[in-house]
Amino acid sequence: MKRTARAFWIGAPGHGEIRDVVLPDPAEDEVVVRSLWSGVSRGTETLVFRGGVPENQYATMRGPFQEGDFPGPVKYGYLNVGVVEEGPAALLGRTVFCLYPHQTRYVVPASAVTPVPDSVPAGRAVLAGTVETAVNALWDARPLIGDRIAVVGGGMVGCSVAALLARFPGVRVQLVDADPTRAKTAEALGVGFALPADALGDCDLVVHASATEQGLARALELLTPEGTVLELSWYGDRKVSLPLGEAFHSRRLVIRSSQVGTVSPNRADRSYADRLALALELLADPALDALVTGESDFEELPDLLPRLASGEIPALCHRVRYTDIG
């Protein structure tokens, strides 16, 4: 039986297209997945779409099931939820999450899919990759009971971090963003909100996710002496200026990075599979629906990505809907 599918490719920076593909026959240890939903990670995927991945980061940024190479043609993406149509009996008919690009059907090893808990709607499960990033960030940051924390940057990653921090006992959490409309998102997540000029200071921890040098500078200003900025932003090929003079040394401030490509060394007892399974469990919280701010059909992706990249559509997570089209 010939299995066909349709896939979204970036043909060249700034240009997307839908391509027909023929799927390979699955091996005994593989599954055929029919996509139900995928999510556009606005920060990373729009950077890839505009060709902004630095050449020296091509290998690091490569997706698990990426085809082609940066800057293009390339098939890129990693937030896919589908149903297993063929495969081992334990997975047949199950809704699963996979780090797969935008494609109507695909064949992957059975070990590459993670079953979505019954308590998590399939449409919400597209957030698993971003919540996984937030889990890893908090493993790196190790917040404590009673900490004063700011999350600077109310995008998809920043909001995911804020949502998880809202569950920590006794912490003061404030989402900081230049867009006042993010106040409604913060309220839905159960955290405070402030514009950058109004943010509360004396923070023990600031998680920075705005991908702007202004945001990073403000993050440093919000710290208490010996406080830490955890940097989650991905700047791609942009250069960033940072005020490391002034009181940076006298206040003994710390900047450290976090990146989901490696499981935090603070949790060396956990695997990638453990981390993703935890992220999916955490998505049982309906408050996280606030991170899905738009929805469209798969066939609209070539027109959608330029609008997301330009900021015309100010999305957090934009969800892509599939019907049985290939």
Side-chain angles (χ1 to χ4, degrees):
M1 180 178 67
K2 183 179 179 181
R3 299 171 181 83
T4 60
R6 308 197 74 201
F8 175 75
W9 280 72
I10 300 168
H15 175 73
E17 58 195 45
I18 304 289
R19 297 185 181 182
D20 294 322
V21 297
V22 176
L23 302 181
D25 291 330
E28 287 187 6
D29 60 347
E30 291 184 321
V31 291
V32 178
V33 179
R34 174 173 55 84
S35 295
L36 299 173
W37 303 94
S38 61
V40 178
S41 175
R42 185 173 178 269
T44 303
E45 287 196 55
T46 59
L47 185 143
V48 170
F49 182 74
R50 69 174 180 83
V53 178
E55 188 171 350
N56 63 7
Q57 293 297 303
Y58 282 1
T60 300
M61 283 288 293
R62 191 169 185 86
F65 295 102
Q66 174 181 324
E67 292 183 38
D69 298 294
F70 302 122
V74 62
K75 184 176 75 174
Y76 191 82
Y78 49 85
L79 301 173
N80 188 290
V81 176
V83 61
V84 175
E85 292 189 320
E86 299 178 52
L91 290 171
L92 198 61
R94 292 290 305 272
T95 299
V96 295
F97 176 85
C98 185
L99 297 168
Y100 204 86
H102 308 283
Q103 185 165 311
T104 58
R105 276 184 176 83
Y106 52 92
V107 178
V108 293
S111 59
V113 302
T114 302
V116 175
D118 293 340
S119 58
V120 179
R124 190 187 304 153
V126 297
L127 298 168
T130 307
V131 173
E132 184 183 12
T133 299
V135 167
N136 207 59
L138 295 183
W139 282 351
D140 280 335
R142 289 189 165 184
L144 300 174
I145 293 175
D147 272 358
R148 298 156 296 185
I149 305 173
V151 179
V152 177
M156 193 174 170
V157 171
C159 285
S160 296
V161 171
L164 298 191
L165 285 170
R167 304 166 181 229
F168 277 67
V171 299
R172 184 193 80 190
V173 186
Q174 192 171 58
L175 182 66
V176 180
D177 198 277
D179 181 357
T181 66
R182 290 286 186 262
K184 290 184 178 180
T185 306
E187 181 180 6
L189 297 176
V191 300
F193 175 81
L195 297 172
D198 302 324
L200 298 173
D202 294 323
C203 292
D204 304 288
L205 169 68
V206 178
V207 178
H208 179 243
S210 80
T212 67
E213 60 183 50
Q214 296 91 343
L216 183 51
R218 185 60 178 142
L220 287 169
E221 293 173 349
L222 295 176
L223 288 176
T224 194
E226 301 195 15
T228 296
V229 168
L230 188 77
E231 177 59 275
L232 284 179
S233 299
W234 170 243
Y235 298 93
D237 56 359
R238 288 182 291 135
K239 304 296 182 182
V240 178
S241 297
L242 188 61
L244 297 183
E246 303 173 355
F248 178 77
H249 290 280
S250 64
R251 296 176 65 216
R252 300 178 63 83
L253 303 181
V254 176
I255 303 174
R256 66 164 303 176
S257 63
S258 179
Q259 212 280 336
V260 74
T262 302
V263 175
S264 170
N266 293 331
R267 295 312 307 255
D269 59 325
R270 302 293 180 91
S271 67
Y272 288 96
D274 291 334
R275 190 178 64 187
L276 181 55
L278 174 59
L280 281 162
E281 289 176 15
L282 292 169
L283 280 165
D285 186 350
L288 289 161
D289 284 332
L291 304 187
V292 179
T293 55
E295 189 176 300
S296 59
D297 290 328
F298 168 75
E299 297 288 347
E300 298 177 64
L301 271 172
D303 296 325
L304 174 70
L305 260 293
R307 298 171 66 200
L308 286 172
S310 69
E312 179 185 342
I313 300 176
L316 290 175
C317 175
H318 192 94
R319 192 162 55 192
V320 178
R321 179 177 53 243
Y322 293 77
T323 56
D324 198 1
I325 55 177

